[in-house]
Amino acid sequence: AIRARTRRTRRMSDMSVDAVITELVRDQLLAFMRGSGTDAEDRTLDQILAFDDQLWNCCHNHMQWVFPTEEPSKFNEDAPLLDEQAQLVFKTDCAIQHNLRRTLHRWLIFLGLDAADGDIVAGQPIRVRKAPNFDKRILSCWRGPSNHNWRRISRVLRCLDLTGLQQEKQAFFDCLLEIVAEHPGMIDDDTVRLWHDRAGIRPGSEPLSEELSQLFAQADSLLK
């Protein structure tokens, strides 16, 4: 371990300041998501997962750590970037994959959603659906105009896409489309297009279940 640290110190001495900072922040992000480190505010992942729903809604500097992406945050200058090296680790590190699923599970609870037909934390195939308390979460999490959680949803979709959680991303996305269909006008079209973009799913390319097709047909009839 001492030799490895010595080699790293020598290597980093030949790097630019920006490159050194990038590597240090990447290491901090990886340790945080493994559960062995802290974020820029000295919080562990477990501490953030223990936030109540009000704190999840009001706090604005934790989402960039629990659902990192490759793009700089406009709102948090201390947010880490999920660069290509970090993406590879996120896809292959069992501890990080497990903690990503734990975090997604907490996020779904915050939104008033639930994972059915499997254990999301164990990585089993799931179907995301509205939880019994969904209606109580509409005002905080879903109703517009410009609800800040719409942007957070786009971040989560992008993170899941970059980290290899494709099945979970698709299940979450399918549920989003169901909510859009069941609540016409609640979420604006620009946001829905953004969700498609961040999920890497072209509008109209996703297969619709019979249930979802019926929901969209009902929504269309209400808007006529």
Side-chain angles (χ1 to χ4, degrees):
I2 295 176
R3 290 179 179 178
R5 286 197 295 269
T6 301
R7 287 194 298 269
R8 185 185 184 195
T9 300
R10 290 173 178 171
R11 177 174 57 81
M12 293 181 73
S13 67
D14 296 327
M15 298 166 60
S16 68
V17 173
D18 288 344
V20 170
I21 293 174
T22 297
E23 183 160 334
L24 291 175
V25 173
R26 183 194 303 124
D27 288 349
Q28 184 179 11
L29 172 63
L30 296 178
F32 170 77
M33 284 306 301
R34 289 185 179 114
S36 59
T38 60
D39 68 359
E41 300 295 327
D42 203 31
R43 301 169 300 199
T44 67
L45 177 62
D46 283 343
Q47 286 174 328
I48 291 176
L49 294 181
F51 285 178
D52 62 21
D53 286 343
Q54 183 176 0
L55 193 51
W56 265 80
N57 195 43
C58 296
C59 183
H60 295 281
N61 59 8
H62 69 292
M63 289 295 293
Q64 299 88 0
W65 282 87
V66 296
F67 292 111
T69 73
E70 82 286 20
E71 297 180 352
S73 170
K74 298 178 181 178
F75 311 103
N76 182 3
E77 63 181 11
D78 293 324
L81 292 182
L82 191 67
D83 60 17
E84 291 185 1
Q85 281 187 254
Q87 290 174 36
L88 180 60
V89 178
F90 267 62
K91 290 177 181 178
T92 57
D93 189 295
C94 293
I96 291 178
Q97 288 274 298
H98 176 73
N99 282 330
L100 270 174
R101 292 188 173 97
R102 289 177 62 210
T103 307
L104 177 60
H105 184 235
R106 179 64 187 91
W107 171 245
L108 294 178
I109 291 173
F110 166 75
L111 292 176
L113 304 178
D114 188 22
D117 303 333
D119 185 341
I120 186 173
V121 177
Q124 297 175 356
I126 59 166
R127 179 173 62 88
V128 178
R129 63 185 181 185
K130 293 193 293 187
N133 69 329
F134 176 81
D135 288 344
K136 295 180 180 179
R137 303 300 299 154
I138 285 181
L139 183 60
S140 294
C141 298
W142 298 97
R143 193 172 303 283
S146 301
N147 191 307
H148 73 120
N149 285 303
W150 297 349
R151 288 280 181 176
R152 288 173 156 188
I153 288 171
S154 70
R155 167 175 284 277
V156 173
L157 290 169
R158 183 60 179 164
C159 179
L160 297 178
D161 192 48
L162 293 174
T163 56
L165 298 187
Q166 298 299 319
Q167 191 275 328
E168 291 84 354
K169 179 196 72 175
Q170 188 66 57
F172 183 35
F173 187 78
D174 289 345
C175 182
L176 294 174
L177 292 186
E178 291 179 10
I179 292 170
V180 169
E182 291 176 352
H183 300 269
M186 183 171 71
I187 300 167
D188 61 55
D189 292 341
D190 287 343
T191 295
V192 177
R193 283 192 289 268
L194 178 63
W195 289 349
H196 275 92
D197 177 71
R198 303 306 281 165
I201 300 174
R202 182 170 53 85
S205 64
E206 66 278 358
L208 298 181
S209 65
E210 182 177 351
E211 179 183 6
L212 190 54
S213 298
Q214 292 175 354
L215 288 172
F216 274 113
Q218 293 171 6
D220 287 340
S221 66
L222 292 174
L223 293 174
K224 291 180 179 179

